[in-house]
Amino acid sequence: MSKYQVFVGIDVSKDHLDLAICTNGKVAPATRIANTISAIEEYLSTFSEKNTLSSTLFCLEDTGIFSLGRSSRPSDIYEKGILPPSSV
């Protein structure tokens, strides 16, 4: 069995993040949040009420300055995968 039960794919842009969540093979409607630390922290707080962060994998494309600061949050909170756009 996979360590992860929930996968969150994040499309990064300057002003917002589009999040697609897949749980048990089912994809929920996409969610859009502001690309700010406060919006991300609020989203993670709400998300963690319904999901276990240790069994969630967050993945996003490496878009340089728009994703670098966001991915440098404490790695003990959640695991993440950053991929170059050419591999997505």
Side-chain angles (χ1 to χ4, degrees):
M1 178 182 278
S2 172
K3 174 181 174 179
Y4 304 108
Q5 276 79 54
V6 181
F7 298 87
V8 180
I10 305 170
D11 184 43
V12 179
S13 71
K14 180 180 177 181
D15 298 320
H16 61 267
L17 305 172
D18 291 317
L19 299 101
I21 303 169
C22 180
T23 307
N24 298 323
K26 296 181 181 181
V27 180
T31 301
R32 179 172 282 184
I33 64 171
N35 191 354
T36 64
I37 296 298
S38 61
I40 294 167
E41 289 175 342
E42 182 180 334
Y43 178 81
L44 285 174
S45 176
T46 302
F47 181 86
S48 65
E49 292 173 4
K50 299 176 185 173
N51 301 279
T52 305
L53 293 179
S54 63
S55 65
T56 301
L57 180 65
F58 292 83
C59 297
L60 59 131
E61 61 184 325
D62 182 6
T63 56
I65 63 170
F66 301 129
S67 60
L68 184 60
R70 293 3 179 210
S71 68
S72 61
R73 303 299 294 162
S75 60
D76 59 344
I77 295 175
Y78 56 87
E79 292 196 42
K80 58 200 175 287
I82 301 177
L83 307 171
S86 60
S87 70
V88 177

